Amino acid sequence: MRRRLSSRVSVAAVLTLVAGVTVTGVLFYAVSALEYGKHALGFQQRANQRVAALRRGLDDAVEVLTVTNQLFRTLPPESVTREQFGSFTRPLLQRYPFIQSFAYHRVLRHDERAGWERDVQRTWPGVTVRDLGPAGFVPAAVRSHYNVLDYFEPFEPNRATLGFDVGPLPQTGITIERVLRTGKPAATALISLAENPAQRHTFIILMPVYRPGAPTATPAQRHAAWVGDTAAMIHAPQLVHKVLHSGGLLDDPQLALRVYAGSAQDRAGMLVYASGAEPAPAPSLAQWLPRWLDVWSRDQETRSFEVLGLEWRVRVDALPRPFLSDHLGSVSTLLGGTLFSILAATLMQTLSQRSRRVQWLVDARTADLQVTNEKLNADVAARKRTERALQESEHRFKRLLALSSDWYWEQDVNFCFTSITNGFFEKGRLDRADFIGHPRWHNHPEMLETAWGRAHMARLEARLPFSDLEYPITGKDGITRWFTTNGEPVYDAQGEFRGYRGTGAEITERKLAEQRIQHIAHHDALTGLPNRVLLQDRLTQAVAYANRGGQSLWVLLIDLDRFKFVNDTLGHKAGDQLLKTIAARLQSSVRESDTVARLSGDEFVAILSEYPEQSLSPDVVGRIMRALAQPVDLEGKEFIVTCSIGVAVYEGDGAPSRHLIEQADIAMYSAKKLGRNCYQFFEHSMNEEAQERLRIESALRNALVRQEFVLHYQPQLDLASGAIVGVEALLRWQHPELGMVSPQRFIGLAEETGLIVPIGAWVMRTACAQAQAWRAAGLPPLRMAVNLSARQFAQPDLVQSIAAVLAETGLPPAGLELELTESLFVDDVARAVALLHELKNLGVALSIDDFGTGYSSLSYLRTFPIDVLKIDRTFVGQIDGDSDQAAIVVSIIALAHNLQLKVIAEGVETAEQLDFLRAHECDQVQGYYFSRPVPAAEFEQLLRT
């Protein structure tokens, strides 16, 4: 009998609706809070990006000024020219448009003011040290020192500010004092430019320049060493705009940005940049809503930081945004959850009604279920057996998957292959019949003799798995390929061993890559020769062979002569081609058993071993030199490149061999000193000479700082009047341990290392100062002769530096004579002529020293603005006993007089030499016959007596 169903709402439906609405409310709250947190985090990240970008931009501005300041730290501040400053800073102004200008403020004492004004007025008449008055620039009042605007870029728009004393300016003065007190660069507060008051929001970064070598540890020391400062004038709005624009941070319509700058005391600062509309205040209703339901933006971030003493404050505001743009997820959660709760309650009500209807059917079907249950039990047992088989299959599949690669193979209990997939034969170009039914060593008989083969067979006998077994196979096409294989033992259900199975893969490309990497690591990339690493290994092997047989071993260090000339004239591409050609010639000129390696640059090393049937002799070295000296065609031009070779011999007696390459290098250097294009065998005396050279070089680097150099002076006499008319300054080195070091021991080394440039500058300044001191003491005016080295002659600022020395010492240009050797003019005659005319325009005298011993053409004398020829002492010393030498001296005197030049003979030591020179109308003489070079005090006494 069917019961009547009730239409009332079930308790389950009501509980479902309540639970659904509750969960929906909780989810809506959680999602809304997450949405607001995400928006707030995104806002903070965008704000942090802008603050970080602004800090990096300010740091970049400081770095740019630091780079400019390095110009005055690298070179002495007084040697930096206005042209150098302009060439250095103009590219920086173009790259950083927010930098209005670069400047160098030079500190002048009052007694230096007149000299500075005189130097500047040569180019810009009327320029003086000036102050800024109410009506414009006026001459500066007398002060103990001035901080003068000396160099600046751009120059032409700001020329009127040249000589402006920035020290009295309040902002500049305060900042300079802070810089010297702290020893760090600093920035001024925001100012208006003097030349453009309408352009506001500008600040200046100042960085000090100290006297080279002066101590700067304390504020007092920094004040004493302060010689000026470099400055960068930066427009703050443009700086902020460029920094944000370059970082792509300007195109955010949801943010309003305000940037303030001011001193540490002024926390509010000055607004220097603004983007985005000022956010409107939220309605009063907003304060009663939770933040996660806030429609109006209340997000704001304010960050402050300090750069070089200038306080910066960045405020970022979030602009109003639509509610749904940020809360779409929470609204969707609320609507969807409510709808789902209603549908769930309806479903529960329907199910409740249906459950009553189904209940009466349950009893009727219980009997049927009992019968069905018995059948299911039988099915479950069958399914368990099936699952067990599936698990075993799955385990096998997983193991094969772990070992999977290009192919699969199986072996029987005798390790013979029973199955190999086709990938192996296709990739290796192999026949199946050569492998199926055979063990692995059937095709690799070397496994029976090698350690790796025996180790693999031992693992098979021990029934152990193996992996990454690598071996090569040559296919039917004659190509050798590399393979790798992995395997594991196979057992049946009773635990009996049934063989092996595994996978394999081809690794030919990987092995070739490894071989290439190995080759690159041990060979020179340009020439293909062994590099330094492989050279050491080959040398060790060669020494071991020499020790076993008692044979000799030669190590040759080969250095190309004039290789730099090829690089400088034709470029590095031609230089590389030359190196490859030389490498090929070296390899072809030695035996295959010998080693040729590239050490570095244009230096090569050859290791030659001696064999019982082939002994080593100097003819081998000569053959190498002849092979390298053959002409080389580079870009249509024929070059002949010679070499200098040093040879170190190892006798094969078990003696230490670790210094063979160093000994060959010492011998090569000795060959270089002999004029190049020759070879030298190492001798222990060479090592002593090298150690002496190293000792002299080390001491020479500190000699100038320790004031160990002194000048001696040798008089030059006029033969017509007998009066001293000139003096030559000669450098001497008074070493505290070595005593008076001969110039022959250190001048050439100073030339080679480049130390001759600062030493020569010291000689020039000291000699000119001494000449002016003698003039001031009332002694007769003398012409001071100073030698110029090749390194000095090649300096780009030679003329400016000499002019600066003359201005500094006060010596008239006519009182200075520069002595030049003929070798200075060989490489670039046109440049030499132009430079000599520039020197001549200064008013100094020019002489050619050691005339007749160089390589220049006599035709150069017609184009060189020379005043004096100096006859070398090698000619003068033999005029009284060698008619040929006497004829040369007479010819030089006649040649000089025909060209309207004066002649000075050096090295006059006897009365006979003096009579000969006087008889042939030589103008002036100097030498030991009259006086040796003496210190300044003795020379002054000589002048007075």
Side-chain angles (χ1 to χ4, degrees), residues 707-710 712 732-741:
Q707 300 180 354
E708 295 174 0
F709 290 118
V710 294
H712 285 188
R732 297 292 184 266
W733 181 11
Q734 183 65 49
H735 191 274
E737 297 177 1
L738 302 177
M740 188 67 73
V741 182

Side-chain angles (χ1 to χ4, degrees), residues 365-418:
R365 294 182 179 179
T366 300
D368 295 334
L369 289 176
Q370 289 178 350
V371 176
T372 304
N373 187 49
E374 294 175 357
K375 295 180 179 180
L376 285 175
N377 290 333
D379 291 339
V380 167
R383 189 176 68 178
K384 287 182 178 180
R385 291 191 297 271
T386 303
E387 287 178 351
R388 189 178 299 109
L390 287 176
Q391 288 176 355
E392 293 177 357
S393 177
E394 183 180 4
H395 176 72
R396 180 177 181 182
F397 173 76
K398 288 182 178 179
R399 292 299 304 166
L400 290 177
L401 185 63
L403 299 172
S404 65
S405 184
D406 290 342
W407 55 79
Y408 172 75
W409 57 265
E410 292 183 353
Q411 292 177 338
D412 59 17
V413 294
N414 296 317
F415 313 118
C416 295
F417 287 106
T418 59

Side-chain angles (χ1 to χ4, degrees), residues 698-699 702-709 735-736:
S698 177
N702 299 316
L704 193 60
V705 177
R706 297 173 180 174
Q707 300 180 354
E708 295 174 0
F709 290 118
H735 191 274

Side-chain angles (χ1 to χ4, degrees), residues 626-654:
R626 289 191 297 273
L628 298 189
Q630 296 300 314
V632 181
D633 189 349
L634 298 175
E635 300 185 0
K637 300 179 179 63
E638 189 176 81
F639 282 84
I640 297 178
V641 179
T642 60
C643 67
S644 300
I645 300 180
V647 184
V649 178
Y650 180 71
E651 298 296 343
D653 52 3

